Amino acid sequence: MSSGYSNEPLMHFILFIFLLLSLQSVQAEPLRLVPGEERYAVGRYLSVWEDPSNQRDIHEVQAHLDRFVHLDADKLTRGTSQSAWWLLLPLRHELPRGAEWLLSVDFSTLDHLDVWQLHGDGRVEQLFAGGDRRPFHERLIRHSSFLVPLTLQPGEESTLLIRAQTIGSLVVPVRILSKNAFIEDQESERLLLGGLWGGLLFLMLYNLLLYLNVRDQAYLYYCAYIFTFVLCTTHMAGIGFHYLWPDWIWFQSGGLAVLFMLSGMAANHFTRLLLELKTRHPLLDRILWAYLVLCGVSVALFPLLPYALTLSIVTSVILTMAVFMLASGLVSFIEGYPPARYYFLAWVTLFVALGIFALEMLGFTEGSYLSKWALQIGAGTEALLFAIAMSDRINLIKQQALEAREKVVEQEKLLRSAQEQANRELEARVEQRTRELARVAEDLARVNEKLDRLNQLDELTQVYNRRAFNQRSVQLLMQCQRERKPLSVLLLDVDHFKQVNDRYGHLAGDECLRRMATLIRERVTRPQDFVARFGGEEFVVVLFDTHLDGARHVAERIRSEVQQLQVQWETTLIPLTTSIGLCSAIPDELTGIEQYTAAADQALYEAKESGRNRVVVATVRPTLRHAEKRHHPAPAC
């Protein structure tokens, strides 16, 4: 007993020392800014306090600093919270005078963000008062993130107090970094975002052009989905508030919900058209149609609802609708529908990206580029896979057209066989087959109508026809206008072609035209140059980025080789010559392809009048700029 009693003071002393060390370990450790370090993740130095009343001011909070608790996380994340949250960060500045430092809060949708600095001498200085409920031009540094310049003296110990409040999801990622480090980080982020958004907009414009050609509404809703999704991501990143709507506070604070709804509606329409749900899966089509109505009603009611309720509606509607769209893709993929392969993979990619982004927002990841910009990367990958899925759909349409054509041929064989063995007992069956054939022929006619738009070759000469010339020449003309490059047009006519037809027959004339087209096509070899049959015995050659000298050389070579060409027809050799009119110029904004052809046609007329079998260059027209090189000032057309 005496031994135990004698050890009791020692045990109390050891317990006291242990408690003292424990209390010391939980005290807020100041963040030391030391030479050689330019970036600081301050999560483990932060303490936090919740103000449910939203009424506390800086003086009340300063009087109750003992209520702050250690955050123990990389960032403050509290989901949807109506409270004001205060963060406390002690600093010790151990850098030489003149160092420039920034406090960064990289979450652009905070409604209110205020920062104070408590100096060691008792002074309280407000450094920042901002948020997306204030006009963008009021920010100290005009940037999509919240940036606060820090005034620090060498050897000074001070404390930062940060107040954050928002009616949406509350995420406060705090970093302290030097000005040089911030500039370096911005270069990488801007390059990444520029590449992603530029790629998305390129896909949108490309598919918009496809829509204008094929008039398939799936392309139109694909473009609408990309456009609205880009607006959503620019809104979330603060880029939109910075560059697109800096004075629209109402849109910055409440427009994200509307943008997400519009994006979901465009994706819904795109899904129903791409997967042909109306005919292949009517039940899924009706479910998605009901979601469209729900989205439209929700958007109409948003101005009347609290924003927190609006966010809950958007989250629940968009996520459940996305699950049904994913299920539609999965069912179609299992059935072997070709476009569903990449469609399903696109949604899986986006869901994975959303998961990574959610982990970043909840503080489970360390803020890498992959996690921070996962949503944008996932959206870009999804858009690319959607484009591949639509190309599969086009291939499927072509395959169906081929199968329909083969089915028509087979039906015709059956019809002829039935007619040869026709009798009264088979008349009813023949009539039934005829009705089926009529339906198939109607389907084939619709498919052929689409395929005819793709048919650009002249049937006789196998060079481009007049319609193809009109399309391709306008494209080259616009490119020359943009790039300030010359465009040359050669108009060729077979000399005395009527005499060839009268003397040797029209079949011989057709053979001459075929040989003539082959010769010209073999002399026009650059990818962007092309040959077309302009009409009758006339051909037109369009040469991109070709000055007058080069165009005249091509024309003279063709004329010379045509003169040497002798077409074998039965036992007779038919000699040929050609007259060529040439127009070469750099087009301006008012120039049309008709002016080129009119000028070349006039030059062709002069070539025929002056004896044929020659090349004549047209004179310059007022709306065409000179296409000669500087050391050749002669007129081009």
Side-chain angles (χ1 to χ4, degrees):
M1 292 293 293
S2 61
S3 174
Y5 179 78
S6 62
N7 289 333
E8 186 173 357
L10 178 61
M11 296 298 294
H12 280 288
F13 178 77
I14 294 174
L15 181 61
F16 173 77
I17 295 299
F18 176 78
L19 291 175
L20 185 62
L21 293 174
S22 299
L23 289 174
Q24 180 69 22
S25 66
V26 298
Q27 290 179 354
E29 178 185 358
L31 171 63
R32 298 171 58 245
L33 304 181
V34 297
E37 293 289 336
E38 294 192 343
R39 298 173 179 84
Y40 295 90
V42 302
R44 67 187 184 92
Y45 301 96
L46 290 173
S47 300
V48 63
W49 180 41
E50 181 181 9
D51 174 19
S53 67
N54 287 331
Q55 301 298 321
R56 305 281 186 181
D57 59 19
I58 180 62
H59 302 293
E60 293 180 89
V61 174
Q62 188 180 5
H64 297 89
L65 296 181
D66 56 333
R67 297 186 181 183
F68 282 76
V69 296
H70 187 55
L71 179 61
D72 195 23
D74 289 335
K75 67 186 75 171
L76 174 64
T77 55
R78 290 296 183 269
T80 54
S81 172
Q82 302 297 320
S83 303
W85 292 85
W86 292 79
L87 294 171
L88 183 145
L89 175 62
L91 296 175
R92 179 180 297 166
H93 188 231
E94 301 179 4
L95 294 170
R97 183 183 300 275
E100 297 181 90
W101 291 88
L102 297 173
L103 172 72
S104 169
V105 180
D106 192 8
F107 193 73
S108 61
T109 58
L110 293 174
D111 291 343
H112 301 282
L113 182 72
D114 302 278
V115 181
W116 292 267
Q117 185 175 10
L118 311 182
H119 293 277
D121 57 5
R123 290 183 298 112
V124 178
E125 178 184 3
Q126 185 167 10
L127 302 180
F128 185 80
D132 65 4
R133 293 299 180 95
R134 293 183 173 94
F136 189 84
H137 62 81
E138 293 183 3
R139 297 189 182 183
L140 295 176
I141 300 177
R142 296 188 179 183
H143 192 268
S144 53
S145 301
F146 299 110
L147 299 176
V148 183
L150 297 180
T151 305
L152 302 172
Q153 300 299 327
E156 178 187 12
E157 290 191 7
S158 61
T159 302
L160 296 180
L161 272 176
I162 305 170
R163 181 185 183 276
Q165 189 269 330
T166 189
I167 58 177
S169 298
L170 181 74
V171 181
V172 188
V174 181
R175 287 197 310 156
I176 290 181
L177 68 166
S178 69
K179 186 176 181 181
N180 291 334
F182 171 75
I183 294 174
E184 292 176 3
D185 293 347
Q186 285 303 295
E187 288 291 333
S188 302
E189 290 187 4
R190 296 303 185 194
L191 181 62
L192 174 64
L193 289 178
L196 287 172
W197 285 331
L200 287 173
L201 292 177
F202 172 79
L203 286 174
M204 183 190 74
L205 294 176
Y206 175 74
N207 284 276
L208 183 61
L209 292 176
L210 290 179
Y211 165 73
L212 296 176
N213 286 330
V214 302
R215 298 296 177 179
D216 188 342
Q217 289 191 356
Y219 288 96
L220 184 62
Y221 287 113
Y222 171 83
C223 296
Y225 172 67
I226 292 182
F227 181 71
T228 53
F229 202 97
V230 167
L231 286 181
C232 289
T233 54
T234 54
H235 191 294
M236 294 174 63
I239 304 296
F241 196 33
H242 188 174
Y243 295 105
L244 302 180
W245 52 83
D247 298 321
W248 296 358
I249 300 176
W250 59 270
F251 186 76
Q252 177 65 16
S253 58
L256 186 59
V258 176
L259 289 176
F260 267 118
M261 278 296 192
L262 294 177
S263 180
M265 294 171 70
N268 187 317
H269 273 297
F270 172 73
T271 299
R272 293 171 54 245
L273 292 172
L274 178 73
L275 301 181
E276 299 180 357
L277 295 182
K278 188 173 183 179
T279 56
R280 299 180 66 255
H281 294 287
L283 177 60
L284 288 173
D285 182 74
R286 287 194 292 269
I287 293 174
L288 292 182
W289 179 256
Y291 267 104
L292 278 176
V293 176
L294 179 60
C295 289
V297 173
S298 300
V299 170
L301 294 177
F302 280 166
L304 308 177
L305 301 177
Y307 189 66
L309 178 58
T310 296
L311 289 179
S312 300
I313 293 174
V314 170
T315 303
S316 58
V317 171
I318 292 297
L319 285 180
T320 54
M321 183 170 65
V323 169
F324 277 104
M325 289 190 287
L326 181 66
S328 301
L330 178 59
V331 171
S332 300
F333 173 67
I334 294 174
E335 292 177 349
Y337 185 62
R341 297 174 298 177
Y342 291 103
Y343 175 86
F344 176 70
L345 182 59
W347 278 110
V348 170
T349 302
L350 184 62
F351 270 91
V352 171
L354 283 173
I356 297 174
F357 181 73
L359 292 176
E360 167 70 15
M361 291 296 100
L362 294 175
F364 292 109
T365 57
E366 298 182 355
S368 65
Y369 280 143
L370 176 62
S371 57
K372 182 178 180 181
W373 305 111
L375 189 60
Q376 286 84 349
I377 295 173
T381 306
E382 181 196 39
L384 180 61
L385 292 173
F386 277 166
I388 298 175
M390 286 192 291
S391 68
D392 278 353
R393 183 168 181 263
I394 293 298
N395 292 333
L396 180 63
I397 292 175
K398 291 180 179 179
Q399 181 181 355
Q400 290 173 345
L402 181 60
E403 292 175 353
R405 188 182 297 240
E406 293 176 351
K407 186 176 181 181
V408 169
V409 173
E410 183 64 25
Q411 292 292 335
E412 289 176 346
K413 291 180 180 179
L414 293 175
L415 181 60
R416 286 195 298 268
S417 175
Q419 289 175 341
E420 291 173 358
Q421 302 176 8
N423 54 56
R424 294 188 179 186
E425 295 179 355
L426 297 178
E427 286 180 358
R429 295 180 60 186
V430 171
E431 183 179 358
Q432 180 182 359
R433 294 288 187 184
T434 303
R435 286 196 300 267
E436 293 178 358
L437 180 61
R439 286 195 298 270
V440 174
E442 183 180 356
D443 295 339
L444 180 61
R446 287 195 295 267
V447 173
N448 283 336
E449 184 178 352
K450 294 181 179 179
L451 294 178
D452 285 340
R453 291 196 294 269
L454 304 177
N455 184 12
Q456 297 185 340
L457 292 180
D458 178 65
E459 183 177 2
L460 175 63
T461 62
Q462 293 301 300
V463 296
Y464 286 113
N465 56 25
R466 181 67 174 268
R467 180 173 55 185
F469 163 75
N470 292 337
Q471 296 173 352
R472 292 175 63 87
S473 60
V474 169
Q475 294 172 357
L476 287 182
L477 177 69
M478 294 174 63
Q479 185 175 354
C480 289
Q481 289 172 341
R482 291 193 304 269
E483 302 176 4
R484 308 306 306 145
K485 293 181 177 180
L487 183 72
S488 296
V489 175
L490 284 64
L491 196 59
L492 302 87
D493 185 86
V494 181
D495 294 333
H496 306 296
F497 186 71
K498 184 177 182 304
Q499 297 178 11
V500 173
N501 281 334
D502 294 341
R503 183 174 181 180
Y504 302 103
H506 287 279
L507 294 179
D510 290 346
E511 179 63 20
C512 291
L513 291 179
R514 280 192 290 268
R515 293 288 300 277
M516 180 87 168
T518 301
L519 186 148
I520 299 172
R521 186 173 60 237
E522 290 174 351
R523 299 301 172 265
V524 179
T525 58
R526 295 192 306 175
Q528 290 182 284
D529 301 341
F530 69 94
V531 183
R533 187 178 180 186
F534 199 68
E537 68 272 18
E538 289 185 337
F539 295 90
V540 62
V541 177
V542 181
L543 303 175
F544 172 75
D545 190 14
T546 302
H547 290 273
L548 176 59
D549 287 346
R552 183 187 286 117
H553 175 75
V554 173
E556 285 291 350
R557 184 178 180 184
I558 292 175
R559 185 202 61 77
S560 175
E561 295 189 6
V562 169
Q563 185 178 5
Q564 299 173 15
L565 177 68
Q566 291 188 336
V567 179
Q568 178 74 39
W569 179 251
E570 294 179 351
T571 60
T572 304
L573 292 177
I574 304 176
L576 295 177
T577 61
T578 181
S579 299
I580 302 175
L582 167 61
C583 176
S584 179
I586 299 176
D588 57 22
E589 295 79 2
L590 302 178
T591 305
I593 195 64
E594 298 84 2
Q595 293 170 274
Y596 275 88
T597 55
D601 186 61
Q602 179 62 34
L604 175 61
Y605 176 79
E606 295 176 8
K608 287 180 171 292
E609 288 295 316
S610 58
R612 304 180 187 268
N613 190 23
R614 63 192 61 213
V615 177
V616 174
V617 179
T619 56
V620 178
R621 288 182 176 269
T623 57
L624 296 179
R625 296 180 182 270
H626 200 268
E628 274 290 325
K629 300 179 181 178
R630 293 182 178 178
H631 58 278
H632 287 104
C637 80

